[in-house]
Amino acid sequence: MIEPMKKVSVVLLNKEKEEALKALRKIGLVHLEKIDGASEKLTAFKEYSNNAMLTEAILGEIKLPKVKKGSEPKLSDDKVIELCKEVVAKSERKKQLMEEISADTTELDRFALWGDVSNEDFDFLKDKDIALKMYEINAEKYNLIDPDIQTILVNNDKKTVRFLIVNGGEGRPEKLLPEAFEVPFPRISTQLLQEEIRRDEKELDEIQAFYTENAKYVPAISAYKKALETDIEFENVNSGIGCDKEGTDNDLAWLSGYVPAADLDEFKRYCADNNWAVAYADPEDEDADVPTKLKNNKFVSLIYPLTDFLGTVPGYHEFDISGWFLLFFTIFFAMIFGDGGYGALVAVIILFLMLKTKLSGKKVPAAFGLFLLVSLATVVWGAVTCTWFGISSDKLPDWLTGLSIPYISGAYADKLWNVPWISDPNIGLTKDQNLQIFCFSLALIQLCVAHIKAGVRNIKDKKGLKVLGDLGSLLQLVGMFWVVLAMVVNGQVFPMLGYIGNVPVGYIEVSLIAVGFAMSFVFANYEGSIGASVLESCKNIISVLLGVVNVFSDIVSYIRLWAVGLAGAAISETVNTLAGPILGHAILFIAAIVLLVFGHGLNMILNVLSVIVHGVRLNTLEFCTHVGMSWSGVKYQPFADRK
């Protein structure tokens, strides 16, 4: 559930605000409204933080021998600040040196075929009334240069001739062929360019040696950077809260924020003990920055590592779908990962890591619990579908095959399952079609849950007839479910327009869609007036009509669970097929093992990526679109000392 919040405002003496903020940070209950502070101290802190971040990135790239945790060299804060400043300065200097080397190298390449070029020699000859200019021309054109132009051949190759023009005047000689290209003198002599490059490269080596020497302080820099985050937060609040600036002892300071309703009494007592004035009220609907604090039991809380990783937070006025998210994500993970052998392997690894962490006296990460849950669910799915490391069902023990459910089991992949309302024995459902039906059934259940939750919310919010819009969406889902079965699974078993026995199922399905659409059209935007609701639907007629298509596409979207799982099974079978023939050869046995480990390992990695892409999407997009969630929330983060 989303914990109720109270909006609080605290007033205190301005001269005591720094001590008051320290006390407020100590209790750690108030999520402050956004504050943009400004002070010299805050600017300095931000500069230190940026320098530490850059230094950590630069020195962190250097590989050093591992040292025992806790035995890393320490540095005082002042030394860290000084070191980071020096690293940043050297980083800028390194960038400058590399640009200089690049420019000088390009310049040298330009004169590579001319040999050494000395600007001093050209200047010396010019002082002796011998002005020289460098030119290049196509080899075939050199002999066509006007003989009145005095030239000196420097060198040539098959394509180009390099030559000097003696005393050709200030500009380009008038009689010179247009194909001749003047070569500008280098910035400095080529020999000096080479010396400059060597000096710059030496300085680069010195900078790199400095980096290597100080890379051992990365842990100290990281610790300082983390501690600095709290200092920045404190100074931002200290310099940004509202206050009187008259300079008297009675000047006031004030700030606003949010406190969980369950902690309000404790907070009021704390304010009274510190002689602060406090006011509180329930958040208004228009308050967009109300933080969200979730409170669930330990089992439902297993989903938090995933939602924290995704950065998804429900808005304060939205739903907490943590329980539904966990339920369906677990099912989706199992179906996409697909293989019971993979699930068992992951479960064993997680149990080992949990035991090792527990024995070391550390707290077991919450993510381990989530991994264990989804891996065990994968084992169950692998058991009911008879999928174990991609091994053919006829090579598995009978007891493993016996655990499977025949309708979706790989052991019965070639069987055609008849349905009660079809008398023709040649018409039925295959294993894959049964799995598709299961996927679409999950879609129907999850999306119906979404609209039921939305309907219950509308009832609680006393929005009356708007509930009929949610009911219309439910009718569309049920009707469209049959359409999907007819169009995607098997049109003979699930007739689009027809009867099953004496029941006109096809016509019922069309009627449900039509009635559901009409109810949604009339009541989806209801806010007290049916006419206004219909008018609003008319204004958005295109999106309203497309909404029917979206219902179809959202249900069909769940077929990805079957398709991605099928792809993973095909890969594991291919790996086994490639490794099988060489397993019996003693010489190639190790190669076969390597192939199996690599192939199945790669497949597991791809499956994890598929879960992130597809399993998460169905919860955060399809489901949340129907429930009306935009994940617009701000996570509850109280003003507290996090050092």
Side-chain angles (χ1 to χ4, degrees):
M1 60 172 285
I2 295 177
E3 283 202 52
M5 288 283 169
K6 292 289 185 179
K7 188 172 185 178
V8 299
S9 296
V10 180
V11 181
L12 44 89
L13 290 175
N14 189 26
K15 63 182 181 180
E16 299 175 355
K17 71 174 183 179
E18 190 162 338
E19 291 303 317
L21 289 175
K22 291 178 181 178
L24 195 64
R25 185 171 64 175
K26 185 177 181 181
I27 191 175
L29 286 177
V30 185
H31 176 105
L32 297 176
E33 291 184 332
K34 185 178 180 182
I35 295 177
D36 294 319
S39 68
E40 292 183 3
K41 191 174 183 180
L42 179 61
T43 301
F45 281 160
K46 289 182 177 180
E47 181 182 353
Y48 298 158
S49 178
N50 291 335
N51 288 349
M53 188 181 302
L54 181 59
T55 300
E56 186 182 34
I58 292 172
L59 301 186
E61 294 180 355
I62 298 172
K63 303 299 181 184
L64 294 178
K66 290 185 178 181
V67 297
K68 187 178 180 180
K69 192 170 183 179
S71 61
E72 301 92 346
K74 308 294 183 182
L75 278 180
S76 66
D77 289 352
D78 291 339
K79 290 291 186 181
V80 171
I81 293 171
E82 183 181 342
L83 174 60
C84 293
K85 186 177 181 181
E86 190 171 359
V87 169
V88 170
K90 288 186 179 296
S91 172
E92 294 174 354
R93 176 58 180 162
K94 180 179 179 180
K95 181 179 179 181
Q96 180 184 358
L97 289 171
M98 293 178 70
E99 290 175 351
E100 290 177 0
I101 291 173
S102 177
D104 290 347
T105 302
T106 301
E107 189 77 342
L108 281 176
D109 290 342
R110 191 161 67 89
F111 295 96
L113 298 176
W114 281 87
D116 288 337
V117 178
S118 173
N119 291 15
E120 293 77 8
D121 291 345
F122 280 105
D123 292 338
F124 175 79
L125 291 173
K126 188 174 183 180
D127 291 339
K128 303 298 183 181
D129 296 327
I130 304 175
L132 301 177
K133 291 184 179 180
M134 299 185 294
Y135 280 87
E136 293 180 356
I137 195 172
N138 188 285
E140 297 177 354
K141 299 287 186 177
Y142 180 68
N143 293 327
L144 300 178
I145 295 177
D146 193 297
D148 292 339
I149 299 175
Q150 185 178 357
T151 64
I152 300 175
L153 177 66
V154 176
N155 61 49
N156 66 289
D157 50 39
K158 292 182 179 180
K159 293 183 178 181
T160 306
V161 172
R162 282 158 286 279
F163 64 97
L164 301 173
I165 292 181
V166 183
N167 295 331
E170 289 297 327
R172 181 186 179 91
E174 294 182 1
K175 298 181 179 180
L176 185 61
L177 294 174
E179 291 85 355
F181 169 72
E182 183 177 359
V183 179
F185 290 133
R187 177 173 60 84
I188 56 177
S189 301
T190 54
Q191 188 174 1
L192 294 178
L193 284 173
Q194 292 171 347
E195 293 177 2
E196 191 173 88
I197 290 174
R198 285 194 290 270
R199 285 198 306 271
D200 290 348
E201 289 177 341
K202 182 180 178 182
E203 189 173 351
L204 281 177
D205 291 340
E206 292 172 352
I207 291 175
Q208 191 61 36
F210 175 82
Y211 287 168
T212 303
E213 180 184 354
N214 290 281
K216 59 188 176 183
Y217 296 117
V218 168
I221 295 169
S222 300
Y224 171 74
K225 180 172 70 72
K226 186 174 182 181
L228 198 57
E229 293 174 359
T230 301
D231 294 334
I232 291 174
E233 181 187 30
F234 182 87
E235 183 57 30
N236 181 63
V237 175
N238 185 39
S239 61
I241 64 173
C243 61
D244 294 329
K245 297 182 180 179
E246 297 176 4
T248 68
D249 288 343
N250 294 323
D251 283 353
L252 299 177
W254 54 88
L255 54 82
S256 297
Y258 297 90
V259 172
D263 299 319
L264 182 62
D265 290 338
E266 179 185 355
F267 180 69
K268 286 163 59 180
R269 286 194 300 271
Y270 201 82
C271 290
D273 293 341
N274 287 276
N275 297 316
W276 304 335
V278 60
Y280 57 91
D282 292 326
E284 301 291 339
D285 290 341
E286 56 269 18
D287 289 334
D289 56 350
V290 185
T292 301
K293 183 181 181 182
L294 300 178
K295 183 179 181 180
N296 290 292
N297 58 50
K298 289 185 178 180
F299 180 75
V300 174
S301 299
L302 290 175
I303 198 63
Y304 290 170
L306 177 61
T307 53
D308 290 343
F309 171 75
L310 297 172
T312 53
V313 181
Y316 179 74
H317 299 291
E318 294 183 338
F319 296 99
D320 176 18
I321 61 166
S322 300
W324 293 108
F325 199 131
L326 179 64
L327 171 63
F328 286 107
F329 177 76
T330 302
I331 297 172
F332 298 159
F333 186 102
M335 294 179 67
I336 292 174
F337 221 72
D339 195 295
Y342 290 173
L345 182 60
V346 173
V348 169
I349 294 173
I350 293 299
L351 286 171
F352 171 76
L353 293 175
M354 292 175 73
L355 181 61
K356 181 181 178 182
T357 305
K358 195 74 174 177
L359 292 175
S360 65
K362 298 178 182 178
K363 184 179 179 181
V364 177
F368 284 0
L370 178 61
F371 290 144
L372 181 61
L373 174 65
V374 295
S375 61
L376 292 176
T378 305
V379 173
V380 174
W381 182 257
V384 299
T385 58
C386 197
T387 310
W388 301 94
F389 291 113
I391 300 173
S392 176
S393 58
D394 57 356
K395 297 179 181 178
L396 292 172
D398 292 340
W399 67 270
L400 268 183
T401 305
L403 292 174
S404 64
I405 298 176
Y407 295 101
I408 57 175
S409 172
Y412 302 89
D414 299 327
K415 184 175 177 57
L416 187 67
W417 298 94
N418 297 116
V419 292
W421 59 86
I422 301 293
S423 57
D424 189 344
N426 296 317
I427 299 177
L429 297 170
T430 64
K431 182 264 294 187
D432 286 338
Q433 288 175 329
N434 287 330
L435 285 171
Q436 292 171 12
I437 294 172
F438 183 76
C439 292
F440 297 142
S441 299
L442 280 176
L444 179 63
I445 294 170
Q446 188 177 30
L447 300 182
C448 283
V449 166
H451 286 287
I452 291 172
K453 286 183 70 67
V456 172
R457 166 64 65 86
N458 288 329
I459 292 174
K460 289 182 178 179
D461 292 347
K462 300 180 180 179
K463 292 187 177 180
L465 296 179
K466 192 169 184 178
V467 176
L468 296 178
D470 297 308
L471 179 58
S473 297
L474 284 172
L475 295 179
Q476 289 185 72
L477 280 168
V478 175
M480 199 61 74
F481 173 71
W482 187 269
V483 173
V484 171
L485 296 182
M487 297 184 66
V488 179
V489 180
N490 191 319
Q492 293 178 301
V493 176
F494 307 101
M496 176 79 77
L497 294 174
Y499 288 78
I500 293 181
N502 295 320
V503 180
V505 177
Y507 298 98
I508 293 175
E509 140 253 323
V510 173
S511 300
L512 288 175
I513 296 173
V515 173
F517 173 77
M519 294 175 67
S520 296
F521 187 87
V522 175
F523 299 108
N525 301 299
Y526 181 80
E527 295 291 343
S529 170
I530 294 179
S533 178
V534 172
L535 181 60
E536 188 65 28
S537 295
C538 291
K539 289 179 181 178
N540 302 288
I541 188 64
I542 301 299
S543 60
V544 171
L545 293 173
L546 289 177
V548 181
V549 179
N550 288 338
V551 173
F552 176 84
S553 63
D554 286 345
I555 295 176
V556 172
S557 181
Y558 283 69
I559 202 172
R560 69 184 68 230
L561 300 171
W562 165 75
V564 177
L566 186 66
I571 293 175
S572 59
E573 289 176 8
T574 301
V575 172
N576 293 342
T577 301
L578 293 174
I582 58 177
L583 273 174
H585 297 275
I587 299 177
L588 300 176
F589 179 79
I590 296 178
I593 296 299
V594 171
L595 176 59
L596 286 171
V597 172
F598 174 78
H600 286 292
L602 179 61
N603 193 25
M604 292 175 69
I605 294 173
L606 293 175
N607 285 340
V608 171
L609 295 176
S610 297
V611 168
I612 295 174
V613 173
H614 301 291
V616 169
R617 173 207 160 99
L618 292 175
N619 278 298
T620 57
L621 185 59
E622 276 81 356
F623 177 64
C624 289
T625 298
H626 284 260
V627 83
M629 285 185 62
S630 59
W631 297 103
S632 58
V634 177
K635 187 175 181 180
Y636 170 70
Q637 290 184 316
F639 183 58
D641 191 348
R642 298 180 178 85
K643 288 185 179 180

